Every structure is written in C-alpha cells, then in structure tokens.
Amino acid sequence: IAPAGYVWVPSKPAAKSRVLTVDEALALTDAAVMPHVKLFVWLALLTGARSGAILGLTWDRCSFDDGTIDFKVLDAPNPLQKRARKTAAKVSMTTELRFLLLQAKAGALTDHVIEWDAAPVASIRKGFSEACRRAGLTDVVPHTLRHTHATLALESGVEIERISRQLGHRDSATTRGIYLHPSADYSAPSSQAVGLKIVKG
C-alpha cells in the first residue's frame, strides 16, 4: 500500500473572545421582549449552559424543591457518531432564575422550558439576533453568553474549578483556555503589586 500523500489542513481559527459587559448584558435582557427569548438569555447568562442544552431542557429536570437545573441528557450515545457528546452540568437556580422559571411553568404548553406557539423552540438565533439589534449589540451570538458567564464569574472571584464544573467541562484547562476573557481591570492588581514591589526596591 502506497503511503498517504501530504494533506494540508488549515489551522484552527482564533477562539472568539467577545464577552458582554454587565451593562451590555442588562441591555440585552431588556431588549429581549419575546418571553421565550428573554428566558433563554437569562438561563444562558446565569447558568453558562450551551444553547442546545437550554433549548433541550425539559421541566422534569427543573427541581424547584432543591433549586437545581439538570442540563445532563441521559440517553445513550450513538456508537457510530465520531464526535464526542458535549458534557453538561447540574446547576443551582438563582433567586431571579427561580422566579422566571416559575412564571414560565405556570403558562407552559409543552414539556420544554423554552417554547413558543405551543411548540419547543428548535433555534433561538432569529429572536436572539433581533434582541441584539434592539440592544445595539454587534458580533454577539448565543454562545457569547456562555463566555460572558465564565468571565464574569472569574472576575467576581469564583475559583476556576467551580467555573469548570458549572460549564460541564471535564477539566479546567478547557475553561481556562477557551472561555475566560478577563478584562484589563481584572489583571490590574497584579500589575500594581509588581509595580509597588519594584518601586520600593
């Protein structure tokens, strides 16, 4: 058998680093006037879950008794599928999220948390894009909210291991390398500490 020839493979594109500021995140929640889009935005911001996990979330995995949301899907993986299943986590509800979920459940017509017109929502992109337009945000996609959750958590002092567990990552290296984009202000104390030491000699 002749050896395989050289096949050029393009390098991976740079990871997207767009992260919403707190003001931008609040503007987006205000601009999401459609109930299903607003609930999606809040779920994404407060849990850091992937879009697919949020759209696939059903009410039986929202426990108001212990205040948790289970994004994990228990169906068996397809052995013929090469791509590994994305991992997900069981996370805590915040007070705000509990209130929004209870409101949504009271008027639910399906077993899915994110629904519209008495049917589960297959794609949130159109409604999400419209909300971004109203909020004056550019270069923002649903996955931006996952990056935003991770970065704001880090800047608030949450340990990297806890953020990694929240995002459902198998190890914290993925979280650190892809999802964390701290602002210059976050690293300012490090610069100030070194500068002070140098100045004092």
Side-chain angles (χ1 to χ4, degrees):
I1 299 175
Y6 172 77
V7 177
W8 177 81
V9 178
S11 58
K12 285 185 177 180
K16 294 194 178 208
S17 59
R18 178 72 161 104
V19 170
L20 300 183
T21 64
V22 172
D23 287 342
E24 286 177 327
L26 290 173
L28 180 58
T29 60
D30 289 340
V33 295
M34 302 300 286
H36 66 293
V37 178
K38 184 178 288 290
L39 183 57
F40 172 89
V41 169
W42 276 114
L43 275 165
L45 284 172
L46 295 179
T47 68
R50 295 182 179 87
S51 298
I54 295 174
L55 295 180
L57 181 64
T58 49
W59 287 114
D60 61 311
R61 289 185 281 135
C62 296
S63 175
F64 295 101
D65 291 333
D66 61 8
T68 60
I69 304 169
D70 192 353
F71 287 107
K72 292 180 286 187
V73 179
L74 300 179
D75 57 325
N78 183 353
L80 302 179
Q81 181 72 33
K82 287 186 177 181
R83 290 183 73 179
R85 180 189 299 282
K86 296 283 189 181
T87 54
K90 185 175 185 178
V91 303
S92 296
M93 290 182 194
T94 63
T95 303
E96 298 84 359
L97 203 47
R98 179 186 175 86
F99 175 76
L100 291 169
L101 287 169
L102 283 170
Q103 273 192 324
K105 192 172 192 306
L109 298 174
T110 73
D111 59 349
H112 279 71
V113 174
I114 305 298
E115 63 172 27
W116 177 248
D117 199 18
V121 175
S123 173
I124 200 71
R125 284 192 173 270
K126 183 176 178 181
F128 185 85
S129 296
E130 183 62 23
C132 288
R133 185 190 65 76
R134 286 196 208 92
L137 301 176
T138 57
D139 195 28
V140 174
V141 296
H143 203 67
T144 303
L145 305 187
R146 184 168 165 85
H147 287 256
T148 299
H149 174 92
T151 301
L152 293 180
L154 177 71
E155 292 180 347
S156 298
V158 180
E159 298 93 337
I160 185 70
E161 290 77 14
R162 289 181 180 273
I163 299 172
S164 183
R165 194 178 306 122
Q166 176 84 10
L167 298 183
H169 291 156
R170 292 186 176 90
D171 61 74
S172 58
T174 302
T175 314
R176 187 179 292 107
I178 300 176
Y179 285 95
L180 300 180
H181 314 285
S183 66
D185 289 340
Y186 178 76
S187 59
S190 176
S191 299
Q192 291 165 2
V194 174
L196 187 62
K197 194 169 185 66
I198 291 173
V199 170
K200 285 189 172 181

